[in-house]
């Protein structure tokens, strides 16, 4: 080695190898924790006073295998409700004499406005089923504050829903059994709400909060959800106030929670029932706990029993039972009247605490007031340190020279972190310029780390290579300190100051994610003291002094790897459903996001070491080696296909019928869309049989002749805003009459009435035809609409679809065999136009055949949509019914 490597380079590569082994060990530990490898699932023969994952799995098996689909509009949803009620009744039958068990099955109806995916809509629903059980002691009062546990048993379009949310229902059933069989008498009533309409935009929970007699006695709630198939369940939201998260910190057996999750929750498309209970209507304190890993299968046909991560449900169940016990014993649980009185006396408490788990072993929790002291402390130390280090010389110029060097160190470290983000992003863009597909890392997350971590390290270390060109401001001869020692000092305190400033910035922004940089800065202090002590005996250049700096940082770095690894894995999995942006720039977005995220994570995982370790690693030989690894990884990435059955590509397939009257088909087409960066042209390239059936040849330009307007996807509004580059192809309508005898139809119910103020009211009736598996009906209303009969006679904010005029969107769901009756009110004589989109889950034979022609790595969500348009000329008090094309 000495013949081609200098002694300095040899030491540098030994240091790099040692650090690689340390980070490898930390990564393995983080992986095992995140994937619940440390949790031992209990079998069906577990003691009755223990939660058993195997017993919960049997419930999931029945809900997902024995029942064929739990979507609204399909028979399986009612079968699931019957199964849940049967299980609850069996528990009630064997409950001891000290228990009071009440079981209810309710049908909820209502209407309200909401913002969903940043778009304004109105929802009207009827006869959605909720199943409830309240368990309490024989001595309980009907008005006693209660603890609510909520989970939904409906599933999304085209998905068996094992994770989302069969796992939630199964966990609740097993916990309910545990309460009865363990002979634990809850000090407060426990309400289990199995709601049947969450996927339709939180309708089941809204119905409970607005209409059920028990809603006013709920003093705390736990909402369990799933956006994946397992892993530790993350507390994504907590509040109002900080005490629910404090209860979690004290009681969870396998905690996974951090206050930064709530800061970032709104970035991810979607919402949960937490919103109905804690924010929009209930103002009830509670927790939102979600499975977040296994997101590849979320809302796909691959969300099956086999995909659930072992140990996940065991950890969830044990956490859930401990939380129920803690909430039931808490004096903070108050019913609605008690909460109102407390707010009147003391004011509303909306403070949010700072908390995080350490590798699911324990929780660290402190209040917002405490965080203002703790998180400000590193910045105070940074500002005072130049004075302290130069005592007894307290001259101003000495402080200024030292502080100037610290600022130089801060600037260099900040540049390094920025370059750690820029370099991976640049390489990601460069790769895509020469590649036929994006997201090559999607099915192979290790590839993302292999491509982007080395280049991020190059960016992080690069400023260190030019440090020597900028001289130290302090006088080394006067201080009698070596230049190397002062350089180490300036780089360290500069990096420390950067993390201190970021921590305070989080604090001033009102966010609660500053615990990460606070943890880093405090750990760096300990590492510096250790380094200072060891280097006095062994010298600054020795391996022992290097180890003296690295070892005290290992607990912090392990957490950084755990937190950062989770973040990257979560992002990688979610990139398959985050939406497709218009080309050509949309093609680059997922790779840029993942590359930037890995660069940022590398910055906070390795950055704390750079002030000292950088002196060893910032050598041209190391940087060249890292660049070579990056280039090799980029070259290898072209050999990896981005999708597999373990990481499917999501495709939305709609068979569209434009109808006139109640039985006439005007047009029929197949429409496709994707929700990631690889376009439909990429899809059909690898699905030749489907392309053949659609008469697509390799010479055809798909983008030019087959564009699908976004108004065609209004049945999925506002989810349809995640689509771009949608395509449509002509389809035969020969077999539609074999299954559908009558189509949806909107008609005038009674003559138009005119008020004394000139407002014109149109009374309408919507007939849904012979459709039997309706998921949702969407009304898109344009024109001089001033009021309607939905949402307590309140209009949502207007929306714009396909660049058209402002329109009002209303989603209707439930009981498709009954007609919908409603009125629209206009404030002028202009025409009111109503576009009706009805989404039916039944697929015609040719549609089913086309769906099955796609490869196994494609998950196709397919459905049938019936579109029709109606115009109402209200000035003459009669209906002018014109069946119009959607583009008219």
């Amino acid at each position: 080695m000495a013949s081609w490597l200098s002694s300095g380079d040899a030491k540098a590569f030994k240091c790099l190898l040692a650090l690689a082994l340390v980070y490898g060990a930390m990564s393995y530990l983080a992986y095992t924790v995140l994937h619940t490898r440390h949790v031992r699932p209990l079998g069906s023969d577990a003691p009755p006073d223990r939660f058993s994952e195997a017993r919960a799995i049997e419930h999931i098996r029945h809900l997902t295998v024995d029942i064929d689909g739990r979507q609204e509009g399909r028979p399986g949803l009612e079968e699931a409700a019957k199964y849940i009620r049967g299980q609850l009744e069996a528990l009630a039958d064997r409950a001891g004499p000290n228990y009071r068990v009440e079981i209810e099955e309710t049908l909820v109806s209502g209407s309200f406005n909401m913002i969903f995916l940043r778009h304004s809509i109105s929802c009207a629903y009827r006869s959605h089923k909720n199943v409830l059980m309240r368990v309490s002691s024989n001595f309980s009062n009907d008005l006693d504050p209660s603890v609510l546990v909520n989970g939904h048993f409906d599933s999304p379009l085209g998905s068996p829903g094992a994770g989302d949310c069969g796992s939630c229902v199964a966990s609740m059933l097993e916990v309910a059994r545990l309460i009865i069989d363990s002979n634990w008498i809850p000090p407060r009533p426990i309400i289990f709400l199995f709601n049947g309409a969450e996927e339709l935009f939180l309708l089941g929970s809204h119905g409970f909060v607005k209409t059920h007699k028990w809603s006013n006695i709920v003093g705390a709630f736990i909402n369990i959800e799933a956006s994946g198939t397992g892993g530790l369940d993350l507390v994504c939201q907590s509040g109002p106030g900080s005490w629910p998260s404090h209860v979690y910190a004290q009681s969870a057996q396998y905690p996974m929670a951090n206050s930064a999750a709530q800061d970032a929750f709104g970035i991810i498309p979607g919402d949960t029932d937490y919103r109905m209970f804690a924010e929009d209507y209930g103002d009830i304190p509670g927790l939102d706990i979600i499975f977040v890993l296994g997101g590849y299968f979320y809302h796909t046909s691959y969300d099956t029993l086999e995909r659930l991560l072992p140990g996940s449900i065991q950890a969830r169940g044990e956490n859930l039972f401990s939380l129920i016990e803690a909430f039931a014993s808490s004096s903070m649980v108050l019913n609605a009247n008690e909460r109102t009185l407390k707010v009147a006396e003391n004011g509303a408490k909306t403070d949010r605490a700072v908390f995080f788990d350490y590798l699911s072993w324990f929780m660290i929790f402190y209040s917002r007031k405490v965080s203002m002291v703790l998180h400000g402390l590193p910045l105070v130390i940074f500002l005072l340190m130049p004075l302290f280090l130069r005592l007894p010389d307290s001259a101003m110029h000495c402080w200024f020279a030292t502080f100037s060097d610290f600022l130089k160190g801060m600037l260099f470290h900040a540049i390094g972190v920025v370059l750690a983000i820029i370099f991976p992003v640049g390489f990601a863009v460069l790769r895509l310029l020469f590649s036929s597909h994006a997201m090559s890392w999607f099915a192979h997350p290790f590839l993302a780390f292999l491509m982007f971590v080395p280049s991020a390290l190059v960016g992080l270390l690069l400023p260190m290579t030019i440090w020597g060109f900028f001289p130290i401001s302090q006088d080394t001869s006067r201080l009698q300190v070596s230049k190397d020692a002062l350089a180490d000092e300036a780089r360290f305190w500069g990096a420390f100051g950067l993390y201190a400033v970021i921590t305070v910035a989080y604090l001033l922004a009102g966010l609660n994610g500053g615990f990460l940089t606070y943890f880093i800065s405090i750990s760096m202090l300990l590492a510096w003291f250790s380094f200072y002590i060891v280097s006095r005996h062994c010298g600054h250049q020795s391996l022992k002094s290097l180890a003296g700096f690295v070892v005290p940082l290992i607990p912090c770095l392990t957490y950084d790897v755990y937190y950062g690894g989770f973040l990257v894995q979560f992002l990688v999995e979610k990139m398959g459903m985050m939406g497709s942006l218009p080309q050509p720039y949309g093609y680059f977005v997922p790779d840029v996001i993942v590359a930037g995220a890995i660069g940022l994570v590398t910055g906070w995982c390795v950055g704390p070491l750079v002030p000292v370790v950088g002196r060893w690693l910032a050598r041209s030989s190391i940087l060249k080696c890292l660049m070579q690894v990056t280039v090799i990884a980029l070259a290898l990435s072209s050999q990896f296909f981005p999708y597999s059955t373990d990481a499917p590509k999501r495709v939305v397939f709609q068979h569209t019928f434009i109808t006139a009257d109640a039985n006439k088909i005007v047009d029929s087409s197949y429409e496709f869309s994707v929700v990631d960066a690889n376009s439909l042209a990429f899809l059909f390239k690898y699905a030749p049989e489907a392309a053949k059936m659609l008469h697509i040849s390799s010479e055809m330009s798909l983008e030019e002749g087959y564009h699908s307007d976004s108004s065609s996807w209004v049945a999925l509004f506002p989810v349809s805003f995640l689509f771009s580059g949608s395509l449509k192809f002509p389809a035969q309508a020969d077999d539609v009459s074999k299954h559908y005898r009558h189509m949806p139809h909107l008609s005038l119910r009674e003559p138009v009435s005119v008020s004394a103020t000139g407002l014109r009211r149109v009374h309408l009736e919507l007939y849904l035809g012979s459709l039997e598996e309706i998921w949702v009906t969407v009304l898109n209303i344009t024109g001089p609409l001033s009021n309607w009969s939905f949402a307590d006679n309140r209009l949502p904010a207007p929306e714009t679809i396909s660049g058209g005029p402002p329109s009002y969107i209303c989603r209707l769901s439930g009981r498709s065999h009954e007609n919908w009756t409603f009125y629209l009110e206009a404030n002028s004589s202009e025409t009111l136009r109503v576009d009706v989109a009805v989404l039916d889950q039944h697929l015609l034979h040719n549609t089913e055949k086309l769906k099955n022609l796609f490869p196994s790595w494609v998950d196709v969500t397919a459905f049938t949509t019936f579109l029709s348009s109606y115009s109402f000329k209200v000035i003459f008090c009669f209906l002018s019914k014109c069946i119009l094309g959607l583009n008219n």
Side-chain angles (χ1 to χ4, degrees):
M1 179 178 291
S3 61
W4 59 278
L5 276 182
S6 67
S7 60
D9 287 341
K11 287 183 179 180
F13 276 102
K14 288 178 182 178
C15 177
L16 182 63
L17 179 61
L19 289 176
L21 293 174
V22 170
Y23 276 96
M26 292 189 293
S27 299
Y28 178 77
L29 175 61
Y31 181 87
T32 58
V33 171
L34 290 171
H35 290 79
T36 60
R37 300 286 179 85
H38 62 303
V39 180
R40 184 175 69 88
L42 298 184
S44 55
D45 57 349
D49 61 347
R50 293 291 305 277
F51 184 97
S52 164
E53 179 173 303
R55 287 192 285 255
I57 288 291
E58 287 307 308
H59 293 306
I60 301 175
R61 189 184 311 281
H62 188 88
L63 291 169
T64 61
V65 178
D66 299 342
I67 295 176
D68 182 22
R70 307 188 312 279
Q71 292 81 13
E72 166 60 31
R74 300 191 64 189
L77 188 61
E78 178 62 27
E79 292 178 38
K82 288 180 179 178
Y83 174 79
I84 293 167
R85 175 155 191 161
Q87 294 296 309
L88 298 180
E89 288 174 345
L91 292 176
D93 290 342
R94 70 170 187 261
N98 294 325
Y99 289 96
R100 178 185 176 190
V101 180
E102 303 162 82
I103 298 172
E104 289 196 7
E105 193 173 272
T106 62
L107 297 178
V108 294
S109 302
S111 182
F112 63 100
N113 296 330
M114 72 184 306
I115 302 293
F116 192 80
L117 299 182
R118 300 180 179 85
H119 292 278
S120 185
I121 58 173
S122 184
C123 296
Y125 62 96
R126 62 189 182 190
S127 302
H128 288 305
K129 182 168 289 187
N130 288 339
V131 182
L132 301 99
M133 180 174 77
R134 182 166 69 167
V135 182
S136 58
S137 72
N138 265 337
F139 305 100
S140 66
N141 187 290
D142 286 344
L143 298 180
D144 284 348
S146 305
V147 178
L148 174 72
V149 183
N150 175 73
H152 67 92
F153 63 89
D154 63 322
S155 59
L157 282 173
S159 175
D164 183 24
C165 209
S167 65
C168 310
V169 173
S171 300
M172 291 167 63
L173 289 173
E174 174 63 4
V175 166
R177 180 209 62 77
L178 181 56
I179 292 175
I180 300 297
D181 290 350
S182 65
N183 294 318
W184 175 64
I185 308 296
R188 300 183 188 277
I190 311 299
I191 300 172
F192 291 91
L193 169 58
F194 301 86
N195 90 69
E198 190 271 349
E199 298 293 353
L200 291 160
F201 299 0
L202 322 179
L203 305 184
S205 54
H206 176 269
F208 171 81
V209 171
K210 296 295 289 183
T211 66
H212 201 277
K213 61 184 179 181
W214 291 343
S215 64
N216 286 329
I217 64 171
V218 175
F221 74 92
I222 305 166
N223 180 59
I224 53 175
E225 252 291 1
S227 67
T229 54
L232 292 171
D233 45 352
L234 175 68
V235 176
C236 290
Q237 299 182 91
S238 171
S242 60
W243 74 267
S245 53
H246 191 212
V247 170
Y248 180 89
Q250 292 178 319
S251 58
Q253 302 295 307
Y254 301 98
M256 186 180 185
N258 64 75
S259 47
Q262 193 153 348
D263 295 337
F265 185 80
I267 299 174
I268 307 299
D271 225 324
T272 74
D273 287 322
Y274 173 92
R275 171 179 175 176
M276 291 297 163
F277 299 126
E279 296 175 349
D280 290 3
Y281 296 96
D283 196 32
I284 305 169
L287 299 169
D288 197 19
I289 305 178
I290 307 178
F291 277 162
V292 288
L293 292 185
Y296 288 126
F297 315 114
Y298 174 63
H299 283 203
T300 74
S301 60
Y302 289 95
D303 184 8
T304 59
L305 184 65
E306 296 75 24
R307 302 287 183 178
L308 297 173
L309 293 176
S312 301
I313 295 176
Q314 185 69 42
R316 163 177 276 179
E318 294 187 23
N319 279 350
L320 185 57
F321 186 67
S322 296
L323 283 171
I324 290 172
E325 287 184 306
F327 274 121
S329 302
S330 174
S331 61
M332 298 293 289
V333 175
L334 307 173
N335 63 33
N337 290 333
E338 292 170 339
R339 286 198 304 274
T340 302
L341 290 174
K342 187 173 181 179
V343 169
E345 293 176 1
N346 306 320
K349 290 188 177 181
T350 58
D351 60 305
R352 286 169 54 193
V354 177
F355 54 90
F356 60 97
D357 70 286
Y358 188 84
L359 275 70
S360 189
W361 296 344
F362 57 87
M363 284 278 293
I364 295 174
F365 179 97
Y366 47 94
S367 68
R368 178 78 179 176
K369 290 181 179 179
V370 172
S371 73
M372 295 184 73
V373 176
L374 291 181
H375 290 192
L377 186 60
L379 184 60
V380 173
I381 293 173
F382 172 70
L383 295 175
L384 293 178
M385 213 61 199
L387 186 62
F388 175 78
L389 288 173
R390 298 300 167 250
L391 289 176
D393 188 350
S394 58
M396 191 65 186
H397 71 274
C398 185
W399 177 90
F400 183 78
T402 305
F403 190 68
S404 297
D405 288 336
F406 287 7
L407 289 180
K408 172 188 169 184
M410 180 189 292
L411 178 62
F412 270 68
H413 198 80
I415 292 173
V417 173
V418 171
L419 291 179
I421 298 171
I422 291 176
F423 273 41
V425 168
F427 279 111
V429 172
L430 184 65
R431 187 194 74 83
L432 291 176
L433 294 175
F434 299 96
S435 176
S436 61
H437 58 263
M439 300 170 57
S440 59
W441 36 260
F442 182 62
H444 320 280
F446 71 89
L447 192 61
F449 289 98
L450 190 61
M451 286 193 294
F452 301 134
V453 168
S455 58
L457 290 174
V458 171
L460 197 60
L461 293 171
L462 195 60
M464 291 286 292
T465 63
I466 59 172
W467 175 270
F469 294 101
F470 298 86
I472 293 290
S473 301
Q474 301 169 78
D475 187 348
T476 56
S477 60
R478 179 182 174 186
L479 296 174
Q480 296 182 347
V481 179
S482 70
K483 185 178 180 181
D484 287 341
L486 288 177
D488 284 344
E489 183 181 87
R491 287 194 295 264
F492 171 82
W493 288 108
F496 176 88
L498 177 65
Y499 295 122
V501 168
I502 294 173
T503 303
V504 171
Y506 262 101
L507 196 65
L508 296 177
L511 302 175
N512 293 287
F515 62 84
L516 180 64
T517 48
Y518 173 72
F519 190 14
I520 290 173
S521 58
I522 294 301
S523 299
M524 288 181 70
L525 273 181
L526 297 176
W528 181 255
F529 292 143
S530 172
F531 174 72
Y532 177 77
I533 293 170
V534 175
S535 62
R536 288 188 66 181
H537 294 86
C538 305
H540 275 264
Q541 304 293 332
S542 70
L543 286 173
K544 289 183 179 179
S545 62
L546 181 64
F549 183 76
V550 172
V551 171
L553 275 171
I554 286 179
C556 173
L557 298 178
T558 302
Y559 179 78
D560 294 346
V561 169
Y562 165 74
Y563 184 76
F566 161 75
L567 176 63
V568 172
Q569 181 68 39
F570 176 77
L571 276 178
V572 166
E573 293 177 355
K574 289 301 180 185
M575 283 299 111
M577 58 167 288
M578 290 293 283
S580 55
L581 297 174
Q583 302 292 338
Y585 303 111
Y587 178 67
F588 297 90
V589 170
D591 281 78
V592 166
I593 290 175
V594 170
I598 290 178
L600 178 63
V601 168
T602 304
W604 79 51
C605 287
V606 182
L609 295 178
V610 167
V612 174
V613 176
R615 176 162 38 83
W616 295 68
L617 298 182
R619 306 175 69 90
S620 61
S621 57
I622 296 292
L623 298 182
K624 288 177 182 178
C625 176
L626 293 172
M627 288 297 292
Q628 288 169 354
V629 172
T630 299
V631 172
I632 292 171
L634 292 172
L636 286 175
S637 68
S638 63
Q639 305 301 312
F640 287 85
F641 194 69
Y643 306 103
S644 70
T645 54
D646 292 327
K649 179 177 179 61
R650 299 164 188 260
V651 175
V652 185
F653 171 26
Q654 172 179 262
H655 189 177
T656 306
F657 293 103
I658 298 179
T659 66
D661 296 318
N663 53 16
K664 182 180 178 183
I665 302 295
V666 176
D667 190 25
S668 172
S669 60
Y670 294 135
E671 302 191 52
F672 294 87
S673 193
V674 293
V675 288
D676 66 20
N678 287 312
S679 68
L680 285 166
F682 166 88
L683 173 68
F684 288 120
K685 176 182 176 181
Y686 293 99
E689 294 183 354
K692 182 179 179 181
M693 185 172 176
L694 294 170
H695 306 290
I696 302 172
S697 66
S698 57
E699 294 81 16
M700 298 176 72
S701 175
L702 294 177
E703 285 73 15
E704 292 180 4
Y706 296 91
H707 174 70
S708 171
D709 190 83
S710 60
S711 61
S712 300
W713 297 91
V714 71
L716 291 178
F717 186 93
V719 177
S720 54
F721 277 90
L722 298 176
F723 306 163
S724 69
S726 303
L727 301 176
K728 68 185 297 184
F729 304 91
Q732 297 296 321
D734 299 340
D735 57 346
V736 64
S737 60
K738 297 177 183 178
H739 185 78
Y740 300 105
R741 289 181 292 106
H742 303 289
M743 311 300 166
H745 179 64
L746 183 65
S747 60
L748 193 65
R749 186 166 172 243
E750 57 185 74
V752 176
S753 60
V754 182
S755 70
T757 58
L759 295 176
R760 296 157 173 82
R761 182 173 290 184
V762 184
H763 297 266
L764 302 173
E765 184 169 10
L766 176 61
Y767 167 63
L768 295 173
S770 57
L771 282 64
E772 298 178 354
E773 297 184 7
I774 295 176
W775 168 261
V776 72
T777 299
V778 175
L779 307 178
N780 176 22
I781 304 166
T782 55
L785 185 67
S786 61
N787 206 341
W788 59 8
S789 56
F790 302 117
D792 298 324
N793 309 116
R794 289 178 298 180
L795 294 175
E799 292 286 334
T800 301
I801 300 177
S802 298
S807 60
Y808 299 89
I809 306 296
C810 183
R811 292 169 52 95
L812 311 176
S813 65
R815 272 199 186 167
S816 60
H817 62 278
E818 295 181 7
N819 293 356
W820 284 91
T821 58
F822 56 94
Y823 70 78
L824 306 177
E825 204 167 74
N827 56 11
S828 78
S829 60
E830 297 177 25
T831 299
L832 273 177
R833 172 168 167 154
V834 182
D835 297 329
V836 179
V838 184
L839 191 158
D840 187 50
Q841 296 164 85
H842 177 77
L843 301 180
L844 300 179
H845 173 73
N846 284 338
T847 311
E848 186 77 41
K849 179 182 176 181
L850 178 55
K851 175 187 174 183
N852 293 332
L853 291 178
F854 288 92
S856 60
W857 49 266
V858 178
D859 179 78
V860 182
T861 299
F863 50 87
T864 305
T865 300
F866 293 85
L867 301 177
S868 54
S869 295
Y870 307 84
S871 293
F872 300 93
K873 296 288 289 184
V874 295
I875 188 171
F876 299 115
C877 299
F878 69 90
L879 168 67
S880 173
K881 182 178 66 177
C882 305
I883 308 303
L884 305 173
L886 287 182
N887 294 322
N888 289 357

